[in-house]
């Protein structure tokens, strides 16, 4: 049974989460009882049960991979999360902190005193410290830096000097470097002396005496070639490498495209300073797609689903406020035509159809374009072609679906001219949606903004106000 | 200069794309001229220029990594795409076909004759053939299968027997297996005899004489341990492994969580049948997030941005039709209150604000929940808690922004009771949005559906109809 569990990490992960929640509930139930019952005898018994539950929970947690503990912490509301966090062995704190999301990490660190934080940080590598540092209290960071040796301190400083989305902020410093004038045999003996290789070591970095990168020796080649050969004969001379100020997303795409496991990071003069590994790139790919989804919906950042109400309100505030303004504008557009609506109240019932379908269609277009932009498929060369295609699709959809809804309007209100206005308005609004669906993300990119940012809110604003104006305007011109 | 380019693959990729487009344009310009000019002398000269351009383009393409050629093919409209495709050397066709997206692959295969397809497929491994097979003409697949040896044919059949989202469809069959009763020294000699190791070989698979997986020997351990030690002493006994019918997305999450490079796939009886590698998992993570974004917007599948108009129309058809029905329902809700609108036309102008903000807020909630579900953070244990939180956030936003818009309504129409109705309707509709934002994805999951599927269309339908009903209903009750 245990073997099967170990081989299906995902299934057992859900099981484990349930087990932890179950143990927590039993723990709380006992606490409630203890509070209610005042008799000394009862208290003793329940304390015992209570402690047994916690001990079992602790044992469960000790068996888990830090990434699994992190997952459980993220899926628990704040109170339960901190109960579990206090049960985790101190020496594992560091590993787990590195695995949780930023929002959850903040809640965990807030629960630790300086001494605990320092202990957790002691085991970390320079790049991990740099990850953590921005969220730590300033005096803790100071004390931490003091405790490092000069090289480590320099590395942390260097990693901290780059923006979050630059290669320099994601590189690590653990790598094996070799010279090119030795035999593979010597390399093999050297590795054996190291006792342990850094994670994701699929290649060794070949440098000269000044630390300039000359090539890479893949472990695969090291293993299959004659041990008497020299490194220089076997190594690849022109590996894919990155500069620390390169865009991290571009690096992630290169990892994906060329199926890399690790790659060297070099300074402008060719000096090797670190490496990127696939695990950091996978996290980045995941984060990138998350932030795309979130920003399309007008959410500012990843929200811990158990974040406090106040935090959630703040996260959603900005775009709701913008939406309020756009909705108000749409409302004023309708206000301009109040006279028409008073004369023909059917307009009020039909206008949201025009606006709604336009919004939906525009969202489809903008989603496509934002996707294609993220994949670097949209350049200056093909904008007009894309726009033309979207407009033709919109025209077809407008005539077909607009025709259907026009017929329905005729059926409901018995006016064929109302039906024609409906069809025309739908078609025009879908064309507007297509135009804006292409132009909004293109404009955002040209302004140096994220094309996904609130794009859904903006396109809906356009198709609402536009749809009302087109439909009510046509109706006023031709029906009244 | 070339060295710098090779070290910044991303920048040069954009450059390369521009270069290809540039060469294509020159090529077309010459073609245009050739068609227009009838004089023999001119034709000769232009044919020469023409051929020179194509030769230069071909040279450019030959230098590129198959993944880069694939990227260029995806970013080109159909005509240009096929021009470039014909220039690619035949022996590289297979590699490139495996890199492009399904939609683009279809357009390329449609341009090849059976003979070319067979030649391209000849170089492929069983798992690659299985990837390609569903898109090939049936008789080509038949001929292809005939040309394989029994083991390969069995592998292709096996890979084809699994669903697209199962581990079995993504595994490959190239791996190095060893026995546990030999010394590391022997393993090293064995590897050297292989001459080449499969890509992403970070571990060797230890099997017994029946092919049952007994453990894995990581290359790292192989390198740092004493060569005299036995495999059994050094190997890991209980590696993370998968069954071929496991969910591929769960496997990808396990790769992400445990930082895996490769992992064994075993049958229920423990027999090793293949392996998963990180490159397939990264592609899956990327695809998963793409399909999430697309399906939230009600797009059925990845759409090649240069897909034919007809294909695009079909892709967007289904959800537009659903949206038409929901919009019609909303319209009928308004229709119920036409009498009220006739008496107080301000209602027509104000009602889209209530509906619009509800839709936006509901989309924020549903995006959060769908995300959390994708990350396995939402289980049965915490639904009610989440719902409570979303409702409180909605209540606060409703009272605050509803209050603002109520005050504006009072300012515009001079009726404080209208303002109060507006505030109340906004608050109620935001509460409805929160409730539906949590319940819709939860219900979809319980029905075994993708929680992202058209969720944006559905929540908007709820908040539109609901918003109109609440606002017009309250207005009819209290204002008329």
């Amino acid at each position: 049974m245990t073997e099967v569990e170990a081989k299906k990490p995902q299934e057992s992960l859900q099981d484990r989460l349930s087990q932890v929640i179950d143990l927590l509930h039993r723990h709380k139930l006992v606490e409630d009882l203890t509070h209610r019952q005042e008799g000394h005898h009862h208290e003793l018994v329940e304390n015992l049960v209570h402690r047994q539950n916690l001990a079992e929970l602790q044992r469960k947690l000790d068996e888990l991979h830090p990434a699994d503990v992190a997952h459980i912490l993220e899926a628990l509301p704040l109170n339960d999360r901190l109960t579990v966090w206090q049960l985790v062995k101190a020496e594992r704190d560091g590993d787990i902190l590195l695995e949780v999301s930023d929002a959850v990490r903040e809640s965990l660190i807030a629960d630790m005193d300086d001494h605990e934080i320092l202990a957790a940080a002691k085991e970390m590598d320079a790049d991990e410290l740099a990850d953590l540092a921005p969220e730590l209290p300033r005096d803790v960071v100071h004390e931490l830096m003091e405790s490092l040796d000069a090289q480590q301190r320099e590395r942390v400083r260097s990693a901290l000097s780059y923006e979050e989305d630059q290669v320099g902020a994601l590189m690590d410093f653990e790598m094996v470097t070799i010279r090119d004038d030795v035999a593979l045999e010597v390399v093999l003996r050297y590795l054996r002396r190291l006792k342990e290789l850094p994670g994701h070591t699929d290649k060794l970095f070949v440098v000269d005496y000044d630390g300039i990168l000359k090539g890479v020796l893949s472990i695969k080649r090291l293993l299959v070639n004659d041990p008497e050969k020299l490194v220089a004969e076997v190594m690849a001379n022109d590996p894919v490498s990155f500069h620390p100020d390169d865009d991290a997303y571009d690096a992630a795409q290169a990892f994906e495209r060329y199926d890399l496991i690790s790659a060297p990071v070099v300074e402008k003069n060719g000096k090797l300073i670190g490496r990127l590994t696939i695990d950091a790139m996978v996290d980045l790919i995941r984060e990138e797609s998350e932030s795309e989804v979130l920003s399309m919906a007008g959410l500012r950042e990843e929200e811990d689903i158990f974040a406090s109400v106040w935090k959630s309100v703040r996260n959603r505030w900005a775009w709701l406020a913008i939406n309020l303004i756009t909705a108000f504008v749409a409302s004023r557009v309708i206000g301009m035509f109040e006279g028409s609506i008073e004369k023909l109240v059917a307009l009020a019932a039909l206008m949201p159809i025009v606006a709604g379908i336009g919004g939906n269609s525009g969202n489809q277009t903008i989603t496509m374009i934002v996707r294609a932009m993220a994949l670097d498929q949209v350049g200056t060369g093909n904008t007009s072609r894309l726009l033309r295609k979207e407009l033709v699709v919109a025209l077809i959809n407008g005539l077909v679906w607009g025709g259907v809804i026009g017929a329905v309007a005729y059926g409901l209100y018995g006016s064929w001219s109302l039906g024609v206005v409906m069809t025309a308005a739908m078609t025009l609004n879908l064309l507007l949606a297509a135009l804006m669906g292409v132009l909004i993300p293109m404009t955002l990119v040209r302004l140096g903004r994220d094309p996904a940012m609130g794009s859904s809110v903006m396109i809906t604003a356009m198709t609402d106000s536009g749809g009302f104006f087109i439909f009510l305007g046509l109706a006023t011109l031709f029906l009244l």
Side-chain angles (χ1 to χ4, degrees), chain A:
Chain A
M1 207 41 216
T2 48
E3 208 192 352
V4 174
E5 264 185 29
K7 291 189 174 179
K8 288 188 161 186
Q10 197 48 37
E11 267 193 29
S12 68
L13 198 64
Q14 272 299 353
D15 290 353
R16 285 166 194 164
L17 182 54
S18 311
Q19 285 167 8
V20 169
I21 289 175
D22 189 47
L23 284 166
L24 275 169
H25 280 186
R26 272 195 265 161
H27 158 62
K28 267 194 282 192
L29 212 72
V30 175
E31 257 189 350
D32 284 357
L33 280 172
T34 321
H35 281 224
R36 238 176 286 151
Q37 307 261 8
E38 294 299 302
H40 283 287
H41 175 66
H42 273 107
E43 215 172 83
L44 266 176
V45 173
E46 258 108 39
N47 258 327
L48 203 66
V49 177
H50 178 163
R51 253 182 287 150
Q52 272 177 345
N53 277 338
L54 283 189
E56 193 182 334
L57 184 52
Q58 187 154 32
R59 212 165 42 241
K60 273 253 137 42
L61 291 170
D62 286 347
E63 286 167 11
L64 296 179
H65 189 283
D68 293 337
V69 178
H71 177 258
I72 287 171
L73 290 170
E74 291 189 343
L76 291 175
L78 194 60
N79 283 347
D80 291 350
R81 185 187 293 159
L82 296 182
T83 307
V84 169
W85 182 232
Q86 276 146 16
L87 290 178
V88 171
K89 286 231 179 74
E91 69 258 37
R92 304 181 74 202
D93 282 2
D95 287 340
I96 295 167
L97 279 180
L98 291 170
E99 297 277 355
V100 293
S101 68
D102 287 358
V104 171
R105 189 187 289 167
E106 209 176 294
S107 71
L108 297 180
I109 288 177
D111 189 54
M112 299 167 81
D113 63 32
D114 291 4
H115 183 75
E116 286 172 315
I117 298 174
L118 283 171
K122 197 159 277 176
E123 303 292 310
M124 293 185 187
D125 295 321
D127 62 306
E128 296 169 339
L129 281 176
D131 273 0
L132 210 60
E135 282 146 64
L136 298 179
R138 189 176 290 198
D139 49 333
V140 176
V141 173
H142 186 75
E143 199 168 333
L144 211 57
M145 291 294 269
E146 294 283 291
S147 72
L148 299 174
D149 64 39
Q151 191 196 34
Q152 284 289 91
R153 192 156 50 218
E154 194 34 58
R155 285 174 169 177
V156 175
R157 284 234 177 81
S158 145
L160 282 172
S161 70
Y162 296 102
E163 301 289 322
E164 214 184 336
D165 58 355
Q166 285 185 318
V167 164
L170 294 173
M171 66 183 175
D172 69 56
F173 304 96
E174 297 166 276
M175 51 199 169
V176 180
T177 56
I178 53 173
R179 304 260 177 258
D180 69 353
D181 56 358
V182 296
L184 299 187
E185 179 67 61
V186 176
V187 174
L188 287 169
R189 273 208 308 274
Y190 171 61
L191 294 181
R192 227 162 267 145
R193 274 210 309 277
L194 288 179
K195 296 268 185 276
E196 205 182 357
L197 299 183
H200 297 98
T201 297
D202 72 321
K203 49 176 73 84
L204 310 175
F205 300 104
V206 184
V207 294
D208 67 13
Y209 286 86
D210 296 322
I212 306 291
L213 183 73
K214 301 188 74 176
V216 297
L217 174 64
S218 76
I219 297 287
K220 276 166 54 182
R221 286 195 178 198
L222 172 65
L223 287 172
V224 299
N225 274 285
D226 182 347
E228 317 234 308
K229 279 193 185 162
L230 290 181
V231 168
E233 297 173 67
V234 181
M235 73 180 188
N237 293 306
D238 194 19
V240 176
S241 68
F242 301 92
H243 292 307
D245 50 4
D246 282 349
D247 185 290
Y249 298 108
D250 292 346
Q253 281 199 354
F255 265 73
E256 213 178 326
R257 191 163 290 152
Y258 308 120
D259 293 339
L260 302 174
I261 304 292
S262 73
V265 179
V266 296
E267 282 176 351
K268 289 270 179 277
N269 60 9
K271 194 174 168 193
L272 178 70
I273 52 170
R275 61 164 193 163
L276 286 179
T277 52
I278 181 73
D279 54 330
M281 297 296 108
V282 170
D283 290 348
L284 195 69
I285 291 170
R286 174 74 78 183
E287 272 167 34
E288 190 189 2
S289 66
E290 273 170 26
S291 82
E292 186 185 319
V293 176
L294 294 174
S295 70
M296 283 190 80
L299 291 161
R300 283 199 309 169
E301 57 186 41
E302 181 69 58
E303 196 180 296
D304 165 14
I305 52 167
F306 295 107
S308 69
V309 167
W310 172 233
K311 270 201 171 168
S312 297
V313 168
R314 269 191 311 175
N315 192 24
R316 304 179 194 186
W317 205 267
W319 280 103
L320 277 184
I322 291 174
N323 188 221
L324 204 71
I325 295 167
T326 63
F328 180 73
V329 170
S331 162
R332 286 300 79 209
V333 170
I334 299 171
M336 286 163 54
F337 296 98
E338 276 180 4
S340 310
I341 294 173
E342 254 173 344
K343 284 187 210 131
L344 187 59
V345 74
L347 298 181
L350 293 174
M351 65 187 185
I353 300 182
V354 177
I357 311 255
N360 183 284
S361 176
N363 266 306
Q364 289 185 338
T365 301
I366 213 166
T367 303
M368 288 282 313
I369 304 288
V370 168
R371 289 272 65 215
M373 287 185 141
L375 299 174
D376 262 330
Q377 286 174 358
V378 180
T380 45
N382 44 27
T383 313
S384 63
R385 199 165 193 131
L386 255 181
L387 187 56
R388 213 154 53 224
K389 183 193 131 186
E390 289 298 323
L391 288 175
V392 175
V393 171
L395 187 67
I396 295 175
N397 278 333
L399 291 175
V400 172
W401 295 121
V404 170
I405 208 77
V408 171
Y410 168 74
L412 278 173
Y413 296 98
S415 152
W416 69 263
S417 54
L418 182 62
V420 171
V421 163
M422 192 76 195
T423 306
M426 277 271 285
T427 308
L428 288 175
N429 200 31
L430 288 192
L431 289 173
L432 177 71
L435 186 69
M436 289 301 153
V438 175
L439 291 188
I440 289 175
M442 298 252 172
T443 310
L444 282 172
V445 163
R446 220 155 277 180
L447 296 176
R449 298 306 186 86
D450 171 10
M453 196 183 67
S455 53
S456 175
V457 176
M458 279 192 279
I459 189 92
T460 308
M462 298 282 183
T463 51
D464 273 1
S465 291
F468 294 141
F469 183 80
I470 292 167
F471 177 63
L472 296 175
L474 287 179
T476 305
L477 279 178
F478 295 107
L479 299 182
L480 302 173

Short mmCIF file of all heavy atoms in Angstrom, two decimals, chain A residues 445-461:
data_model
loop_
_atom_site.label_atom_id
_atom_site.label_comp_id
_atom_site.label_asym_id
_atom_site.label_seq_id
_atom_site.Cartn_x
_atom_site.Cartn_y
_atom_site.Cartn_z
N VAL A 445 1.49 47.33 -25.57
CA VAL A 445 2.88 46.90 -25.78
C VAL A 445 3.72 48.08 -26.26
O VAL A 445 4.85 48.29 -25.79
CB VAL A 445 2.95 45.75 -26.80
CG1 VAL A 445 4.37 45.59 -27.33
CG2 VAL A 445 2.49 44.45 -26.16
N ARG A 446 3.17 48.88 -27.18
CA ARG A 446 3.93 50.01 -27.68
C ARG A 446 4.21 51.02 -26.56
O ARG A 446 5.21 51.71 -26.57
CB ARG A 446 3.18 50.68 -28.83
CG ARG A 446 4.12 51.11 -29.93
CD ARG A 446 3.43 51.20 -31.27
NE ARG A 446 3.32 49.91 -31.93
CZ ARG A 446 2.75 49.73 -33.13
NH1 ARG A 446 2.23 50.75 -33.78
NH2 ARG A 446 2.71 48.54 -33.66
N LEU A 447 3.32 51.08 -25.56
CA LEU A 447 3.55 51.97 -24.41
C LEU A 447 4.44 51.30 -23.37
O LEU A 447 4.65 51.83 -22.28
CB LEU A 447 2.21 52.33 -23.76
CG LEU A 447 1.24 53.15 -24.62
CD1 LEU A 447 -0.08 53.35 -23.89
CD2 LEU A 447 1.86 54.50 -24.98
N GLY A 448 4.93 50.11 -23.69
CA GLY A 448 5.81 49.42 -22.75
C GLY A 448 5.06 48.75 -21.61
O GLY A 448 5.64 48.42 -20.59
N ARG A 449 3.73 48.54 -21.76
CA ARG A 449 2.95 47.90 -20.71
C ARG A 449 2.72 46.43 -21.03
O ARG A 449 2.92 46.00 -22.16
CB ARG A 449 1.58 48.58 -20.56
CG ARG A 449 1.64 50.04 -20.16
CD ARG A 449 2.47 50.22 -18.92
NE ARG A 449 2.42 51.60 -18.46
CZ ARG A 449 1.46 52.09 -17.66
NH1 ARG A 449 0.49 51.32 -17.26
NH2 ARG A 449 1.49 53.34 -17.27
N ASP A 450 2.26 45.70 -20.03
CA ASP A 450 1.86 44.32 -20.20
C ASP A 450 0.57 44.28 -21.01
O ASP A 450 -0.43 44.88 -20.61
CB ASP A 450 1.65 43.72 -18.80
CG ASP A 450 1.01 42.35 -18.85
OD1 ASP A 450 0.91 41.78 -19.95
OD2 ASP A 450 0.63 41.85 -17.78
N PRO A 451 0.57 43.58 -22.17
CA PRO A 451 -0.63 43.60 -23.03
C PRO A 451 -1.86 42.97 -22.37
O PRO A 451 -2.98 43.24 -22.78
CB PRO A 451 -0.20 42.79 -24.25
CG PRO A 451 0.92 41.95 -23.79
CD PRO A 451 1.63 42.74 -22.73
N ALA A 452 -1.64 42.12 -21.37
CA ALA A 452 -2.78 41.46 -20.75
C ALA A 452 -3.46 42.36 -19.73
O ALA A 452 -4.61 42.14 -19.35
CB ALA A 452 -2.32 40.17 -20.06
N MET A 453 -2.77 43.40 -19.30
CA MET A 453 -3.20 44.18 -18.13
C MET A 453 -4.62 44.73 -18.28
O MET A 453 -4.86 45.66 -19.04
CB MET A 453 -2.21 45.32 -17.89
CG MET A 453 -2.34 45.95 -16.51
SD MET A 453 -1.16 47.33 -16.37
CE MET A 453 -1.86 48.47 -17.56
N GLY A 454 -5.55 44.14 -17.52
CA GLY A 454 -6.91 44.64 -17.52
C GLY A 454 -7.54 44.69 -18.89
O GLY A 454 -8.53 45.41 -19.10
N SER A 455 -7.00 43.91 -19.84
CA SER A 455 -7.48 44.02 -21.21
C SER A 455 -8.96 43.65 -21.30
O SER A 455 -9.69 44.21 -22.11
CB SER A 455 -6.64 43.14 -22.13
OG SER A 455 -6.59 41.83 -21.64
N SER A 456 -9.38 42.72 -20.45
CA SER A 456 -10.77 42.30 -20.47
C SER A 456 -11.69 43.45 -20.04
O SER A 456 -12.74 43.68 -20.63
CB SER A 456 -10.94 41.10 -19.53
OG SER A 456 -12.27 40.74 -19.44
N VAL A 457 -11.28 44.19 -19.01
CA VAL A 457 -12.08 45.33 -18.55
C VAL A 457 -12.15 46.39 -19.64
O VAL A 457 -13.21 46.95 -19.92
CB VAL A 457 -11.46 45.93 -17.26
CG1 VAL A 457 -12.22 47.18 -16.83
CG2 VAL A 457 -11.45 44.91 -16.14
N MET A 458 -11.03 46.64 -20.29
CA MET A 458 -11.00 47.70 -21.31
C MET A 458 -11.83 47.36 -22.53
O MET A 458 -12.58 48.20 -23.04
CB MET A 458 -9.56 48.00 -21.70
CG MET A 458 -8.92 48.91 -20.67
SD MET A 458 -7.36 49.56 -21.25
CE MET A 458 -6.32 48.18 -20.88
N ILE A 459 -11.70 46.11 -23.00
CA ILE A 459 -12.46 45.76 -24.21
C ILE A 459 -13.97 45.79 -23.91
O ILE A 459 -14.77 46.23 -24.73
CB ILE A 459 -12.03 44.38 -24.78
CG1 ILE A 459 -12.66 44.14 -26.15
CG2 ILE A 459 -12.44 43.24 -23.90
CD1 ILE A 459 -11.82 44.57 -27.28
N THR A 460 -14.32 45.37 -22.69
CA THR A 460 -15.74 45.39 -22.33
C THR A 460 -16.26 46.82 -22.27
O THR A 460 -17.38 47.12 -22.69
CB THR A 460 -15.95 44.67 -20.99
OG1 THR A 460 -15.34 43.39 -21.06
CG2 THR A 460 -17.41 44.49 -20.68
N ALA A 461 -15.42 47.73 -21.77
CA ALA A 461 -15.81 49.14 -21.72
C ALA A 461 -16.10 49.65 -23.13
O ALA A 461 -17.11 50.32 -23.38
CB ALA A 461 -14.70 49.96 -21.07
#
